[in-house]
Amino acid sequence: MGYLLLIIFVLAIKNTNCLEAEEDFRNCLSQTGADLSYPSNRTWWYDSQGYSIPTVRNPLAVAYACSTSQVQQLIQCAVKNSVKPVPRSGGHSYEAFSSLDGTLVVDISRINWIDIDTESHTTHVGAGIRLGKLSYELSKYNFAFPTGNNMTIGLGGHLAVGGFGEYARFYGLSIDNVLQLEFVDWQGKVLIANSQNYSDLFWALKGGGGGSYGIVTAAKLNVFPFPNISTAFILSWDTFPSTAEFIKTWYSWKPWDLPDEISIEIIMGTNLMTGIYIGQDGQEGVTRIIDASGMTRIGNGTSLRQFSSTNLLEVRAWLYKGGERSGTDEDYQIYNVPPFAFDSIGVSPLPEIGRAHV
């Protein structure tokens, strides 16, 4: 009986210590001014899982930072209380690294400001900005930045893994066009990393894995004027050729010798080959390239659809919607993504999720 009482007493002390530690952690977080979410919140599922991760995670808390200074304070609270801070900009981590068990998720999606310098062809942006909003805001000045085609991805995570997109062959990956990164390290210190300062860190942050070294809160980027003409295309088959026939034809074509102005994406099993061409000869150039590929002579029932515009944003929208176009404002809804859906294009904001206050 004595041993049983001793075990119960020790467990009670341990449980009390855990509760006190949790209370200290929450008190520290509350002083940062960030919006917080805990497992007791009604929006906890959305807050903890993010936008699109494949594995259910159970962090201790989620904090929505609105500034670099809040990120600093949140990291300091986490370190002080022996909790691992995990960054999240868009929540699209296929490995679910943006929400880990027993961690503090520092969501930077509200750090989504943008400042465009039309003279130097650069932009300074918050790392939580979604690719859709970044593309839309740049388009107001006829600028583009090479990104992927999923508009809900956050820039911070996109840069952390490289950033491949439809016109990467011409403009390069997203990380090829990063000039500078603002970064908060594990001690809560703000560092400015570029080719002159913290150059090794700057190199590592560009594709070296999100959150491995700290949290990127802002970036300075090279942007590019819209091409004179852009053309999106979709080649489809009623009956897709066999995998062996397709691969043989593809490599016989030697696509690596294609001009940099064209990017092509093929997803096996979809019966589609898509891409964007920014050559001056537009649809005529696309037809010439596709005819030379031999891809239309395999399988059955091939169809080549194209859409050209001087506005690269419209071209990407057409491709993103699978070759449909129903008017500028409606097409642009694909760029209108949460959180903080922007309403300057005449469409209704999307429902907000994960806005819990405690």
Side-chain angles (χ1 to χ4, degrees):
M1 178 65 70
Y3 286 114
L4 180 60
L5 290 175
L6 179 60
I7 292 172
I8 293 174
F9 181 67
V10 170
L11 290 176
I13 293 176
K14 184 176 181 180
N15 187 51
T16 301
N17 290 339
C18 289
L19 292 175
E20 290 177 352
E22 183 178 358
E23 184 178 358
D24 290 343
F25 178 50
R26 292 193 175 194
N27 285 339
C28 186
L29 294 179
S30 66
Q31 294 174 25
T32 66
D35 283 348
L36 305 171
S37 182
Y38 296 109
S40 59
N41 285 89
R42 62 182 178 82
T43 59
W44 177 249
W45 172 259
Y46 301 102
D47 295 329
S48 61
Q49 301 310 307
Y51 194 90
S52 176
I53 61 174
T55 306
V56 176
R57 298 297 196 187
N58 296 290
L60 297 178
V62 176
Y64 292 91
C66 293
S67 66
T68 298
S69 62
Q70 282 189 346
V71 172
Q72 289 180 270
Q73 296 174 65
L74 290 166
I75 289 179
Q76 289 168 347
C77 281
V79 172
K80 178 182 177 181
N81 290 275
S82 300
V83 175
K84 180 179 180 179
V86 175
R88 181 175 74 193
S89 56
H92 279 265
S93 173
Y94 291 133
E95 298 85 3
F97 290 154
S98 58
S99 183
L100 299 175
D101 295 343
T103 63
L104 169 65
V105 174
V106 181
D107 187 294
I108 63 168
S109 59
R110 298 183 184 184
I111 307 178
N112 62 356
W113 49 268
I114 181 169
D115 181 19
I116 302 169
D117 187 333
T118 57
E119 293 187 3
S120 65
H121 291 191
T122 61
T123 183
H124 198 198
V125 295
I129 195 169
R130 304 294 177 113
L131 301 187
K133 182 175 181 181
L134 174 62
S135 297
Y136 177 76
E137 295 297 331
L138 288 174
S139 75
K140 294 177 181 178
Y141 301 91
N142 291 325
F143 283 125
F145 179 74
T147 68
N149 61 5
N150 190 322
M151 305 304 164
T152 61
I153 291 175
L155 178 66
H158 196 56
L159 296 181
V161 295
F164 180 79
E166 300 110 327
Y167 37 98
R169 297 184 74 242
F170 189 77
Y171 292 120
L173 301 177
S174 297
I175 57 171
D176 294 327
N177 297 285
V178 177
L179 301 175
Q180 182 171 283
L181 295 170
E182 180 184 84
F183 171 82
V184 183
D185 71 6
W186 70 275
Q187 294 178 311
K189 294 180 180 179
V190 178
L191 306 177
I192 303 299
N194 51 43
S195 58
Q196 284 78 42
N197 301 310
Y198 302 103
S199 57
D200 287 347
L201 177 63
F202 182 57
W203 176 85
L205 290 172
K206 297 187 300 175
S212 300
Y213 311 100
I215 300 179
V216 172
T217 52
K220 186 177 181 181
L221 312 171
N222 261 329
V223 295
F224 303 92
F226 278 171
N228 292 331
I229 188 72
S230 301
T231 302
F233 61 90
I234 300 175
L235 177 65
S236 59
W237 289 263
D238 289 341
T239 303
F240 197 70
S242 68
T243 301
E245 183 182 19
F246 183 91
I247 292 176
K248 180 180 178 181
T249 305
W250 174 259
Y251 280 102
S252 297
W253 179 29
K254 297 182 180 179
W256 49 85
D257 289 335
L258 289 173
D260 292 341
E261 288 83 1
I262 192 168
S263 292
I264 296 175
E265 179 180 35
I266 302 165
I267 302 177
M268 301 298 292
T270 64
N271 292 18
L272 296 175
M273 185 170 79
T274 66
I276 286 182
Y277 178 59
I278 56 178
Q280 296 298 306
D281 47 354
Q283 295 190 19
E284 181 181 338
V286 170
T287 301
R288 172 176 48 80
I289 292 172
I290 297 300
D291 284 347
S293 71
M295 305 302 282
T296 58
R297 294 186 288 276
I298 58 176
N300 293 309
T302 57
S303 171
L304 177 63
R305 290 178 290 158
Q306 302 186 56
F307 172 72
S308 298
S309 174
T310 57
N311 188 327
L312 184 56
L313 205 69
E314 291 183 0
V315 171
R316 295 186 72 195
W318 181 87
L319 189 61
Y320 191 83
K321 295 179 68 175
E324 297 180 7
R325 190 168 186 269
S326 49
T328 302
D329 283 353
E330 187 171 341
D331 286 342
Y332 282 0
Q333 286 192 51
I334 66 168
Y335 298 98
N336 190 19
V337 295
F340 293 137
F342 50 101
D343 56 7
S344 57
I345 58 175
V347 297
S348 301
L350 299 180
E352 290 185 313
I353 60 174
R355 294 301 166 82
H357 292 262
V358 295

